[in-house]
Amino acid sequence: MEVSHSVKERTIAENSLVILLQGLHGHVTTVDLRDESTATGRVTNVDAFMNVRLAGVTFTDRQGTVSRLDELFVTGRNVRYVHIPDEVDIRATIERQLQAIHRVRYFGGRDKGRKEFPRTKHK
Amino acid sequence: GGAMSFLKRFPPPAEGVRHQQPDTEAVLAGRTLGTGTLYIAESRLSWLENSGVGFSLDYPTISLHAVSRDLNAYPWEHLYVMVNAKFKEEETKEAPMAEGEEEDSDDDVEPIAEFRFVPSDKSALEAMFSAMCECQALHPDPDDEDSDDDYEGEEYDVEAHELEQGDIPTFYTYEEGLSHLTAEGQATLERLEGMLAQSVSSQYNMAGVRTEDSIREFEDGMEVDVAPVVAGQFEDAEVDH
């Protein structure tokens, strides 16, 4: 998955397991929502705030009613679980995403690849 | 029927409008509110009926949005928006409820309101959806403990700061870049990578993503548990000395 152009988002992703979800791009995944509904579809984007965008979705609402949604965007706050598909190698996925971030950080992307925020020390 | 009490008159948003869609019906919980224009603006989502009354939704209250073309679920293709709030659809004569009480739902169940925006131009649904995604991303959850305030101060150009050269205008691919670095540049790069790795590993070992390679490379003398846990490591109580 293409790495975010935002410095802050890259840094957040690098330091949380959202980076794993970002590596699920293209995979069919089930997302359990906070209100007990579920959405199964192909991941087209996950940002640093865990907002998830899915395509070709089978959506089961909290009453159990099933419908199809062409595209769905769920806010990170409302995601309870993201099921990692069996075929995904978790460690390889995380490493690949980290490498993508480091490439952008050191050798630039389409925009300022080398600006970073100074971190507060000894939190 | 009675007027929807939450509808108000207000001017359409003037700034940050990523998409506007005229001739769009708004439906709340299956009841139509009329036809008007949907404004997908950076600050909020607004819909104004042609008569000039309408409502706005704040992005933090929107749980999800979707494009629905499933005519079995709903007879018209539309943009579905689920909101974490209750909307009074009609004037009611109930006594005011105590704060926090819901009429007839469990305490655990959050209120949701389902809006559908049905544009007469179905082909606009993709653009409407994307505009909403963009605007939603501008409003990350402030309660999220992960979106922390570790990133303070002005951003600065890491390499320029180290090399004291100001903005370097050229970008290289990984291979090109390495070959263009002088010996000093390569040393700086290594130092920067090391600094970054140290700050990452010392502050965020909760992320738990430590491969064996990274353990070797980023050994920094700090007291971090580097031993990968092996399942069943301690099952065998008898250890040969």
Side-chain angles (χ1 to χ4, degrees):
Chain A
M1 194 185 106
E2 196 184 278
V3 166
S4 168
H5 301 303
S6 150
V7 170
K8 179 176 173 180
E9 289 199 32
R10 281 201 296 271
T11 315
I12 291 172
E14 186 181 36
N15 293 297
S16 86
L17 285 173
V18 136
I19 199 171
L20 169 59
L21 303 187
Q22 291 176 331
L24 296 183
H25 191 254
H27 289 270
V28 174
T29 300
T30 295
V31 178
D32 290 2
L33 275 58
R34 215 155 53 114
D35 72 345
E36 323 260 316
S37 56
T38 68
T40 301
R42 193 169 33 87
V43 176
T44 53
N45 194 61
V46 178
D47 67 16
F49 311 108
M50 219 188 294
N51 296 321
V52 178
R53 186 165 162 167
L54 302 174
V57 179
T58 300
F59 184 76
T60 305
D61 72 13
R62 55 188 184 178
Q63 272 93 36
T65 311
V66 182
S67 61
R68 290 278 302 177
L69 298 168
D70 273 34
E71 292 211 67
L72 170 69
F73 178 102
V74 186
T75 53
R77 182 158 191 262
N78 289 283
V79 172
R80 177 174 287 153
Y81 301 123
V82 176
H83 296 243
I84 310 292
D86 290 339
E87 75 264 16
V88 168
D89 178 331
I90 292 180
R91 184 159 123 168
T93 299
I94 292 175
E95 287 181 358
R96 198 178 59 234
Q97 290 301 116
L98 281 173
Q99 282 165 21
I101 287 178
H102 292 159
R103 271 200 298 276
V104 170
R105 173 172 294 136
Y106 292 120
F107 298 102
R110 295 210 304 262
D111 45 42
K112 299 169 247 182
R114 286 159 300 133
K115 290 195 193 296
E116 299 297 343
F117 288 95
R119 299 275 208 74
T120 55
K121 300 198 197 240
H122 312 299
K123 181 170 174 171
Chain B
M4 300 282 180
S5 64
F6 66 96
L7 296 178
K8 306 187 219 309
R9 186 171 299 276
F10 57 94
E15 284 182 348
V17 178
R18 295 284 186 113
H19 185 94
Q20 83 188 49
Q21 191 61 33
D23 215 16
T24 295
E25 183 193 7
V27 179
L28 169 60
R31 297 189 50 173
T32 186
L33 304 174
T35 298
T37 299
L38 182 67
Y39 299 89
I40 304 174
E42 289 166 8
S43 53
R44 60 183 58 82
L45 182 70
S46 301
W47 178 85
L48 279 170
E49 204 198 357
N50 295 331
S51 64
V53 292
F55 62 92
S56 291
L57 301 172
D58 288 325
Y59 291 108
T61 64
I62 298 177
S63 319
L64 60 89
H65 65 274
V67 172
S68 171
R69 297 190 205 271
D70 181 351
L71 302 181
N72 290 320
Y74 189 81
W76 296 278
E77 299 179 30
H78 63 278
L79 178 73
Y80 173 82
V81 178
M82 183 195 286
V83 178
N84 248 133
K86 259 288 187 258
F87 285 81
K88 287 235 170 108
E89 297 155 55
E90 291 173 338
E91 291 291 343
T92 63
K93 291 166 244 131
E94 297 160 74
M97 294 188 286
E99 198 177 284
E101 268 183 37
E102 292 291 343
E103 217 175 31
D104 53 355
S105 50
D106 304 340
D107 287 335
D108 291 345
V109 175
E110 289 198 8
I112 71 158
E114 298 181 297
F115 285 90
R116 301 176 199 268
F117 296 101
V118 192
S120 58
D121 178 6
K122 310 299 171 197
S123 67
L125 282 170
E126 279 303 312
M128 290 161 71
F129 177 82
S130 294
M132 277 207 62
C133 291
E134 287 165 22
C135 293
Q136 193 71 283
L138 299 173
H139 299 261
D141 184 6
D143 291 336
D144 182 0
E145 63 208 22
D146 280 343
S147 65
D148 51 1
D149 38 1
D150 264 7
Y151 316 105
E152 294 167 6
E154 302 279 315
E155 40 177 87
Y156 69 101
D157 190 314
V158 171
E159 284 177 26
H161 179 78
E162 292 295 324
L163 302 172
E164 292 172 0
Q165 280 176 25
D167 260 300
I168 301 167
T170 323
F171 294 97
Y172 298 111
T173 63
Y174 186 82
E175 292 75 17
E176 286 174 19
L178 271 185
S179 66
H180 275 87
L181 286 176
T182 60
E184 179 191 299
Q186 286 187 21
T188 303
L189 175 60
E190 271 163 48
R191 181 154 51 94
L192 289 173
E193 280 184 295
M195 279 169 59
L196 183 71
Q198 269 186 35
S199 64
V200 166
S201 64
S202 65
Q203 291 186 23
Y204 292 94
N205 38 348
M206 64 78 87
V209 181
R210 306 269 316 242
T211 65
E212 260 139 273
D213 288 342
S214 70
I215 288 167
R216 277 200 296 281
E217 256 185 283
F218 303 138
E219 173 79 15
D220 54 11
M222 293 196 61
E223 311 226 297
V224 177
D225 181 357
V226 299
V229 175
V230 173
Q233 191 175 11
F234 301 110
E235 264 168 22
D236 185 359
E238 279 196 320
V239 178
D240 292 324
H241 289 290

